[in-house]
Amino acid sequence: MRKLPNTVRTPGLIQILHWILSPMGQMEACAKRYGDIFTLNLMRPVVFVSNPQALQQILTSDTKEFEAPSDWNTVFEPMLGKNSVITLSGEAHRRQRQLLMPPFHGDRMKVYGQVMSQVTEEVMSQWQIDKPFSVRNAMQAIALRVIMQAVFGLYNSDRAEEIEKTLCLLLDERENTPIRVLQLYFPALQKDLGPQSPWGKFLRNRAKAHQLLQEEIQERREQPDASRTDILSLLMAATDEDGQPMTDEELRDELMTLLIAGHETTATGLTWAIYWIHKLPEVKEKLQAELDSLSDLTDYSTLLKLPYLNAVCCETLRIYPVGMLTFPRVVKTPVSMCGYDLKPGTILLGSIYLTHQREDLYPEPKLFKPERFLERQFSPYEYLPFGGGVRRCIGTAFAQFEMKVVLATILSQLDLALVTKNDIKPKRRGLVTGPHRPIEMAVISPHQV
Ligand code: HEM
């Protein structure tokens, strides 16, 4: 009986460094050598899986043969706290998910559509003809303001602005160094060496964010308003089976989770989409023709169903998925997978990146071809940018909707161009991925149909 599948033999420290610096390159090299399943030693052996049947096995029975523990999600704890749906597991995770899911249900999306277009227009109004701007910064501003409105309701206040600013500092691109990534994986390195040290800066920004969120919670407890339907109000009114409401600390951690998971990922997806659309003239032409044929951009049900816009968004999240992996699953009872017998305790990661790069599913996988999504349908285990099973992304409908509304709003009003047409590659950005260098664009002219 073979124990762990295709164990990589390079010294452990080299594997960890490679993982920190170039996770996608490392996964690709291993897949080339070993195929659909292999084991890396990242402090503990971790089995990487990119075979759709095996992914189906993991994600469809992940409460019976597998579990989604929280101890491997501790890398998220410094940022999101220990009461976040991401860092909880078992029954506590299930309960918290139930509380969080309703505001993200597909039916509620139309409520957010107007906010999404309005915020996009606000940010676009700052762009000037021929003056380059950073796409990522612009998309981050849009996505952050949108999630702020969804979470806190439609309001502009000094506190909202302060929260936005503090979250931007927490996620500042310039702080995203290999040292910061190492600190996330190795808690022993999380040392506060003063306000200018990487961890010191992070702790101070986080304390500021916590203080602002606590003030908001406090104010709402003191002045309850039953007419509000924003996510924070829904969470504050929710109670568990014993009739207990969420504590301030629980509320704070869930707010951090929604605000951070809810905007960084979508902003990166949008940045890539804008890059590809303007990099490839034939893609731009087809998409523009489809959008120009739409008489009413606020007819969100029609917008959502536009086939080419949908294919562009799908291909964007296929080629360089923002989340390159599912959260870990652990084997609970002995299972057989890809010809290997896996023992209880084995840690598995679904490699979204490698699955999306499979030649057998996506011929010429390095090419951006939205047509793939018009020509065939992919199963949820062949195409899984939002993961699957008990930890499937709760923001799936929200993010897909937001990408479409923002792209349609921009393309229907402005003609943009990339400042340089050089290729942009994906790289690690903390625990997710993003473009390896800033992408700059400029407005050429208002769009005319
Ligand atoms: C393009 C945008 C996004 C991408 C690519 C993305 C991707 C993912 C992935 C891959 C997972 C892990 C799933 C698994 O392990 O099976 C996840 C989980 C999660 N996502 Fe997203 N996400 C996006 C947007 C959002 C938004 C807008 C929100 C909230 C408003 C959100 C909130 C979450 C939460 C709370 C979880 C953890 C769920 C749990 O542990 O039960 N995400 N996301």
Side-chain angles (χ1 to χ4, degrees):
M1 187 176 80
R2 290 177 290 172
K3 286 200 176 93
L4 282 168
N6 299 318
T7 304
V8 176
R9 296 279 164 219
T10 329
L13 187 62
I14 307 272
Q15 291 190 37
I16 290 173
L17 285 177
H18 201 174
W19 181 243
I20 301 284
L21 296 172
S22 168
M24 284 165 281
Q26 186 180 28
M27 283 193 280
E28 264 176 328
C30 293
K32 208 163 170 193
R33 174 144 186 215
Y34 302 110
D36 292 358
I37 189 163
F38 56 84
T39 308
L40 280 175
N41 189 0
L42 304 174
M43 294 176 285
R44 291 196 245 174
V46 183
V47 178
F48 284 69
V49 180
S50 57
N51 173 294
Q53 286 76 40
L55 288 167
Q56 177 164 17
Q57 189 183 351
I58 298 170
L59 297 173
T60 50
S61 65
D62 52 6
T63 51
K64 288 180 228 109
E65 290 170 316
F66 307 93
E67 62 186 337
S70 59
D71 56 339
W72 263 71
N73 286 359
T74 46
V75 281
F76 294 95
E77 215 173 283
M79 188 68 98
L80 308 178
K82 61 180 173 13
N83 304 293
S84 154
V85 68
I86 291 182
T87 52
L88 290 170
S89 60
E91 187 47 28
H93 168 253
R94 191 194 59 79
R95 240 185 302 130
Q96 208 58 18
R97 252 184 97 89
Q98 267 181 353
L99 285 177
L100 291 178
M101 296 283 284
F104 292 101
H105 196 267
D107 298 345
R108 288 205 34 111
M109 287 311 119
K110 278 180 210 125
V111 178
Y112 303 127
Q114 223 184 341
V115 171
M116 290 169 179
S117 334
Q118 193 187 317
V119 167
T120 308
E121 282 176 3
E122 262 167 48
V123 171
M124 278 162 58
S125 69
Q126 293 155 13
W127 303 343
Q128 291 163 23
I129 296 210
D130 287 340
K131 204 145 174 236
F133 63 90
S134 150
V135 182
R136 204 201 140 71
N137 290 354
M139 295 307 118
Q140 185 159 5
I142 294 174
L144 181 53
R145 231 168 273 172
V146 165
I147 192 73
M148 287 282 297
Q149 304 261 13
V151 168
F152 295 115
L154 292 170
Y155 82 115
N156 287 309
S157 71
D158 292 347
R159 188 177 301 133
E161 257 177 51
E162 277 281 288
I163 296 177
E164 268 185 48
K165 252 194 258 155
T166 314
L167 290 178
C168 284
L169 287 175
L170 262 177
L171 300 169
D172 190 341
E173 177 99 22
R174 285 160 303 180
E175 303 299 329
N176 183 35
T177 58
I179 305 238
R180 268 294 297 280
V181 180
L182 270 172
Q183 285 175 322
L184 293 175
Y185 283 102
F186 295 96
L189 300 176
Q190 295 172 2
K191 292 264 182 298
D192 181 359
L193 303 174
Q196 291 314 314
S197 67
W199 201 253
K201 248 192 249 179
F202 166 74
L203 290 180
R204 280 156 187 82
N205 286 328
R206 187 185 66 180
K208 176 86 187 151
H210 283 180
Q211 180 210 327
L212 291 163
L213 293 177
Q214 182 57 44
E215 282 170 17
E216 181 68 27
I217 294 169
Q218 188 65 31
E219 200 174 286
R220 294 203 187 198
R221 288 217 194 277
E222 283 162 9
Q223 301 157 28
D225 175 354
S227 67
R228 294 185 83 139
T229 55
D230 55 72
I231 296 173
L232 176 54
S233 304
L234 299 179
L235 292 182
M236 287 182 79
T239 52
D240 65 14
E241 285 99 329
D242 306 325
Q244 289 303 312
M246 286 169 77
T247 63
D248 285 5
E249 213 179 71
E250 286 169 333
L251 281 169
R252 185 200 67 198
D253 290 355
E254 288 313 3
L255 290 178
M256 285 293 277
T257 303
L258 295 179
L259 292 172
I260 290 176
H263 93 275
E264 249 240 307
T265 43
T266 316
T268 305
L270 274 164
T271 305
W272 279 124
I274 292 188
Y275 164 74
W276 287 115
I277 293 166
H278 293 86
K279 168 105 177 143
L280 304 170
E282 64 284 7
V283 172
K284 167 100 196 291
E285 214 171 288
K286 280 191 202 165
L287 182 58
Q288 195 77 65
E290 189 180 69
L291 290 172
D292 288 349
S293 70
L294 204 67
S295 53
D296 178 8
L297 273 183
T298 60
D299 174 2
Y300 297 119
S301 355
T302 310
L303 183 76
L304 263 183
K305 289 193 214 111
L306 290 180
Y308 199 70
L309 176 61
N310 184 56
V312 167
C313 293
C314 288
E315 181 68 344
T316 299
L317 296 178
R318 178 200 68 83
I319 192 163
Y320 301 143
V322 184
M324 56 189 154
L325 302 163
T326 65
F327 290 131
R329 280 19 181 215
V330 173
V331 176
K332 256 166 75 175
T333 55
V335 284
S336 172
M337 184 177 290
C338 301
Y340 291 87
D341 294 318
L342 302 181
K343 287 203 279 190
T346 308
I347 298 159
L348 303 167
L349 282 174
S351 176
I352 299 174
Y353 178 71
L354 287 180
T355 310
H356 288 186
Q357 292 290 323
R358 291 179 70 99
E359 283 268 0
D360 57 347
L361 295 173
Y362 306 101
E364 301 184 287
K366 300 281 174 213
L367 297 187
F368 185 87
K369 292 206 266 183
E371 285 69 18
R372 311 174 191 279
F373 288 90
L374 301 174
E375 286 157 8
R376 67 163 280 194
Q377 285 213 318
F378 297 94
S379 82
Y381 314 104
E382 294 170 338
Y383 179 67
L384 64 164
F386 297 98
V390 293
R391 282 204 185 265
R392 182 167 198 261
C393 176
I394 63 169
T396 304
F398 191 89
Q400 288 170 328
F401 186 64
E402 184 172 354
M403 283 181 72
K404 291 179 183 177
V405 173
V406 174
L407 291 175
T409 308
I410 297 175
L411 292 175
S412 63
Q413 298 188 32
L414 295 176
D415 286 333
L416 303 176
L418 287 163
V419 171
T420 73
K421 284 233 168 184
N422 295 353
D423 286 348
I424 311 264
K425 298 282 168 213
K427 75 157 197 183
R428 180 195 271 286
R429 281 194 89 252
L431 299 171
V432 288
T433 66
H436 83 283
R437 66 169 173 80
I439 301 174
E440 292 208 312
M441 313 246 344
V443 177
I444 305 298
S445 60
H447 178 64
Q448 275 165 7
V449 182

